[in-house]
Amino acid sequence: MSDLMMPLFYFVLTIMVYLAAVHLQRRIEHPLLNPVLITLLVLVCLLLGLGIPYVDYQAGGHWLSDLLAPSVVALGVPLYKQIKQIKRELPGVLLVVALATIFALTSTVVLAILVGAEAEIAISLAPKSVTTPIAVMIVEQMQGEPSLGALAVIVTGLLGAIAGIPLLNLMGIREPKSRGIAMGTACHALGTARIVQEGGEQGAYSALALVLSATISAILAPILVPLILQWII
């Protein structure tokens, strides 16, 4: 296969694996059969098994990565549909998301240090609950390791997409707004993409929480994280 066709092959391969994963999840409804997780595992196994360098795969895979930005923007559609109701409840939602974001930043750094991680690792893990571009920006600003920050975001999103809804059910949280806010705040775009499947109201509040959490993290993390490290180390 020519060098010009290989990127297209990897692009089509990724889409086919994902569609197969979606079909599998529809036939066997199980939280672990998340299409994103299955696609990731299958592609990793294929690349390793066939000895394909990631750089070669990314020549076509980056076309899908470039669609992340417009896909996140698309999550604003359910938010727009619920805008009148959200305006009335915005102060309360803002307070809840702010407190949750502060707790997430603080607990992540404290736990990382307590288990023996270096300050650079704790810094890189801190913004794990926001979208990848913003997390990378925050980590770079705090002089952490951007690649580790991006990995933490991906793992957090996957865990949230897989275990978030079962955990909410286990805790007896049934109210659509609460479920949406929890998923958007804790596990960013992947969590929002998962909870929107339950309904437009959940998706709207999750998208709102996602945006607020990312904004608050970008403002507070460079101030709060160094203070926590100074106090705990």
Side-chain angles (χ1 to χ4, degrees):
M1 191 177 297
S2 68
D3 292 340
L4 293 177
M5 291 298 295
M6 288 306 295
L8 179 61
F9 171 75
Y10 295 135
F11 176 76
V12 173
L13 173 66
T14 304
I15 293 176
M16 290 178 63
V17 172
Y18 178 78
L19 291 176
V22 171
H23 179 69
L24 178 64
Q25 186 191 45
R26 288 175 178 172
R27 294 197 62 179
I28 308 173
E29 295 184 2
H30 193 281
L32 290 177
L33 295 178
N34 181 275
V36 176
L37 176 62
I38 297 299
T39 302
L40 178 63
L41 293 176
V42 170
L43 289 176
V44 168
C45 291
L46 285 175
L47 294 183
L48 291 175
L50 299 176
I52 301 172
Y54 176 74
V55 174
D56 292 349
Y57 166 78
Q58 189 62 3
H62 80 89
W63 295 340
L64 288 171
S65 300
D66 292 342
L67 294 174
L68 281 175
S71 66
V72 172
V73 173
L75 293 175
V77 174
L79 178 60
Y80 175 77
K81 291 181 178 180
Q82 302 280 338
I83 193 65
K84 291 183 179 179
Q85 181 178 343
I86 287 174
K87 282 182 177 179
R88 296 193 298 268
E89 301 174 344
L90 183 58
V93 175
L94 177 59
L95 176 61
V96 170
V97 173
L99 292 175
T101 302
I102 292 172
F103 176 79
L105 291 170
T106 303
S107 61
T108 301
V109 174
V110 171
L111 287 173
I113 295 299
L114 288 179
V115 299
E118 297 180 357
E120 183 182 15
I121 295 178
I123 288 172
S124 304
L125 297 177
K128 61 178 175 40
S129 294
V130 303
T131 55
T132 303
I134 297 176
V136 169
M137 178 195 69
I138 294 172
V139 171
E140 288 178 343
Q141 187 175 354
M142 296 189 296
Q143 298 182 337
E145 178 53 52
S147 58
L148 180 57
L151 178 61
V153 170
I154 294 171
V155 172
T156 300
L158 284 173
L159 287 175
I162 294 169
I165 289 179
L167 183 59
L168 290 172
N169 293 338
L170 182 64
M171 297 175 66
I173 301 174
R174 306 293 180 184
E175 212 280 326
K177 301 173 190 176
S178 300
R179 291 169 72 88
I181 292 171
M183 292 290 282
T185 303
C187 39
H188 53 84
L190 285 177
T192 300
R194 177 64 184 91
I195 198 68
V196 77
Q197 296 174 9
E198 285 195 352
E201 187 175 12
Q202 294 93 320
Y205 280 85
S206 185
L208 175 63
L210 183 158
V211 173
L212 292 176
S213 176
T215 304
I216 294 169
S217 295
I219 296 172
L220 292 185
I223 301 171
L224 184 61
V225 171
L227 288 176
I228 298 171
L229 290 173
Q230 186 178 4
W231 171 72
I232 199 173
I233 295 179

